[in-house]
Amino acid sequence: MKTICLYFEIHQIIHLKRYRFFDIGTDHYYYDDYENERSISDIAERSYMPALCTLEQMIKDNGKFFKVAFSLSGTGIEQLEMHAPQVLEKLQQLNETGCVEFLAEPYSHGLSSLANPDSFARDMKKQVEKIKEYFGQTPKVARNSSLIYSDDIGAQIAALGFKGMLTEGAKHVLGWKSPHYVYNCNMAPNLKLLLRDVELSDDISLRFNNAEWEGYPLFADAYIDRIARLPEEEQIINIFMELSALGIAQPLSSNILDFIKALPVCAKEKGITFSTPTEICMKVKSVGQIDCPDTLSWVDEERDCSCWLGNAMQREAFQKLYSVADRLLIADDPRIMQDWDYLQASNNFRFMTTKPSNVGLDRGIYSGPFDAFTNYMNILGDFINRVNALYPLEIENEELNSLLTTIRNQGDEIEMKDKEITRLKAKLEKLDPSEAKAAEPKKAAAKKPVAKKAPAKKAPAKKAAEPAKE
């Protein structure tokens, strides 16, 4: 039976302000608060809230049949907390339906997976904790920023304990293979890979309102018919896009939400179901490995990382940023760490691209790629000076490595102790029923609360009780 895995990304750009060379050392605040509030409020009103309300209604109308997955960057969550908390509240309401899954991704929505494995691991773990805090879910499936993937990145994700990962069904990687199967990482066979169907996803997110497109107008029944006509053995249809596609890339006036709302109804008629990424990873076996020695993404025609690291300016900024990554692994300054998260965001490098693109690029305050590079490097210069003031360059690499090793060992020791605590709690839970049963006759005979102190006759319990009396 065919099943659709529908996934939406939620991330918000952190807009940097105009920062001059002469601001270095005197101004440590790098953000355009007005533009940040204006842009996210606009997206929340025109896209996020109408789209989430539609998805909520779809769940109510279709019960457990309709399911959907989301991935929120940590920096995106921070912006929603400040400027659009109603979006998080609506996501929590969706979570309560039991039909929504939240995935893991880098907290910063950055490119740490291409530069520093330790930073990448911490980025992922930090976002997982944020998702647990808001939604009570521990993500089992991951996705990288912009679906960036390679064999090495897959191995890193598997080492973090994830069962599956989302990435792009790029033709130069798949070759003759279809994206409608479950695959696995060639360096970590236990990590399942779900590949985006590029055409079916982009028909909604990029082409839906394009009157010149040969598929215009697109109707839900025709869309589902295309899926139903796929070869019988092709069972997994992964439709991934940004949530802002519903309302921003494709305006509400195009009736995009009516189209989305009709998908479950049409799918039922064709015997097609909806599944979350974890359900697919747990139930469906891999048909083979995917070999991806070079990085791929879901951006531009090349489906690679050239939009972020394709020219000398981007690579220089990238290398300078991650030159302090190891020092920040021992940082405990909240302001420094927040700036680190915001400066890692991939859009900072995207603004510096010199590549032509079929998708329009809004550079915001920047007149061009060199302007974006200059502004970012000025900010980065001040940021690195602050990092060096906290952790001077005089600290030798050997000393720094020793500190990092100590931190890692402490982390491993804490993890072992947590596991031991969990084991002991489970053991106590097994003992409790028998103890409770033995205590029942005493409780029945006792008429006064003081009678509950009877077990304190044992010497150890008595010592523990004495301070409480004081």
Side-chain angles (χ1 to χ4, degrees), residues 174-183 195 197 234 236 287 290:
L174 281 173
W176 56 269
K177 297 176 181 176
S178 166
H180 304 141
Y181 296 91
V182 174
Y183 296 94
L195 309 184
D197 185 304
E234 297 187 16
I236 310 299
V287 298
I290 289 292

Side-chain angles (χ1 to χ4, degrees), residues 327 388-400:
R327 293 177 184 275
N388 291 337
L390 287 175
Y391 309 101
L393 294 173
E394 288 74 18
I395 299 178
E396 299 292 338
N397 285 337
E398 290 184 5
E399 184 180 354
L400 181 61

Side-chain angles (χ1 to χ4, degrees), residues 240-416:
F240 306 157
M241 67 193 77
E242 296 177 354
L243 185 63
S244 60
L246 311 182
I248 302 297
Q250 308 304 320
L252 298 180
S253 59
S254 68
N255 295 320
I256 183 68
L257 294 184
D258 291 331
F259 169 84
I260 292 293
K261 194 172 182 179
L263 289 178
V265 178
C266 297
K268 274 184 182 179
E269 294 175 356
K270 296 293 183 178
I272 299 172
T273 64
F274 285 81
S275 299
T276 62
T278 294
E279 287 177 339
I280 294 173
C281 289
M282 299 302 289
K283 294 177 182 179
V284 182
K285 293 183 179 180
S286 167
V287 298
Q289 68 182 29
I290 289 292
D291 298 316
C292 187
D294 300 318
T295 52
L296 65 88
S297 76
W298 70 355
V299 179
D300 293 344
E301 290 296 322
E302 295 83 357
R303 311 291 177 187
D304 59 13
C305 295
S306 58
C307 67
W308 302 290
L309 302 174
N311 63 46
M313 292 185 296
Q314 292 170 311
R315 290 190 291 273
E316 181 181 349
F318 184 75
Q319 290 165 6
K320 186 170 183 179
L321 173 67
Y322 284 99
S323 68
V324 296
D326 287 339
R327 293 177 184 275
L328 286 166
L329 289 172
I330 59 173
D332 59 358
D333 185 298
R335 179 72 181 278
I336 286 282
M337 294 312 299
Q338 184 180 59
D339 290 338
W340 171 243
D341 288 335
Y342 292 175
L343 293 177
Q344 284 188 87
S346 62
N347 59 275
N348 293 315
F349 302 95
R350 174 76 160 156
F351 292 150
M352 303 175 199
T353 186
T354 52
K355 285 179 57 181
S357 175
N358 293 333
V359 181
L361 175 61
D362 181 5
R363 298 184 198 267
I365 63 172
Y366 306 123
S367 60
F370 184 73
D371 187 26
F373 170 74
T374 302
N375 200 69
Y376 184 78
M377 292 301 280
N378 287 340
I379 291 173
L380 197 53
D382 182 78
F383 175 73
I384 290 178
N385 287 342
R386 290 164 58 206
V387 173
N388 291 337
L390 287 175
Y391 309 101
L393 294 173
E394 288 74 18
I395 299 178
E396 299 292 338
N397 285 337
E398 290 184 5
E399 184 180 354
L400 181 61
N401 288 334
S402 176
L403 287 170
L404 293 175
T405 300
T406 300
I407 290 170
R408 291 191 191 101
N409 291 340
Q410 288 175 342
D412 293 340
E413 187 176 347
I414 290 171
E415 187 176 352
M416 289 177 62

